[in-house]
Amino acid sequence: MTAIGSDHAGFEYKEKLKKLLEELGEPYHDFGTMSNASVDYPDYAHAVAESVSNGTYPRGILICGTGIGVSIVANKHKGVRAAVSESVASTLLARQHNDANILCFGERITPWETAAEMVKAFLSTPFEGGERHTRRVEKIHSLTNC
């Protein structure tokens, strides 16, 4: 199950994302926005990130104009590792090495075909684990309340 959300600048891709997730048989919960009317991205990023942080959903996908704003917000939540990606390669590495649990990308800068492949990679790629990667991921949250 995947939590999804966007602001107005990511709304069109979020609607395409819902169709893609349905094709993949991946259940999701849409935290909004529900139109392309101007909204504040933190509202939707907080909702998705909190649902991942509290364990309601194991992962999330956030979309805004660039992916940057929603990732900054999401990473304020305990246990969240939100990665901004613009390529399949960076998405794979975010999952394999960083155990990213929220994928963020931008409708204004990432072609839909690339974004769709990134989503597939995000959903299908496991964390490699192992001593090296696990140690590093544990250090992300060890010195803060995050």
Side-chain angles (χ1 to χ4, degrees):
M1 188 86 158
T2 302
I4 65 171
S6 74
D7 68 356
H8 58 282
F11 176 73
E12 297 300 326
Y13 273 21
K14 184 176 65 71
E15 295 304 298
K16 290 181 178 186
L17 173 63
K18 289 166 34 175
K19 291 177 184 170
L20 175 61
L21 294 174
E22 289 167 5
E23 289 171 11
L24 296 172
E26 174 66 26
Y28 64 86
H29 179 82
D30 184 353
F31 282 88
T33 190
M34 301 306 176
S35 78
N36 59 6
S38 183
V39 295
D40 297 333
Y41 66 85
D43 298 339
Y44 304 95
H46 279 306
V48 169
E50 182 56 30
S51 76
V52 172
S53 177
N54 69 24
T56 302
Y57 299 99
R59 67 189 151 269
I61 300 172
L62 286 165
I63 311 164
C64 65
T66 64
I68 296 168
V70 291
S71 73
I72 292 170
V73 173
N75 279 314
K76 302 294 184 190
H77 290 260
K78 184 176 184 175
V80 167
R81 292 172 304 283
V84 180
S85 187
E86 295 178 22
S87 70
V88 173
S90 62
T91 302
L92 288 168
L93 290 169
R95 283 293 306 129
Q96 293 169 336
H97 294 190
N98 309 114
D99 199 17
N101 52 15
I102 297 182
L103 172 64
C104 304
F105 56 90
E107 182 171 330
R108 292 178 179 159
I109 59 175
T110 306
W112 172 249
E113 295 75 19
T114 302
E117 292 305 312
M118 289 166 29
V119 168
K120 292 174 190 176
F122 179 73
L123 295 175
S124 65
T125 303
F127 175 50
E128 284 182 358
E131 188 272 330
R132 175 176 57 138
H133 296 307
T134 300
R135 180 183 72 245
R136 292 171 181 166
V137 169
E138 287 172 354
K139 285 183 176 185
I140 293 170
H141 303 289
S142 68
L143 300 176
T144 67
N145 292 328
C146 296

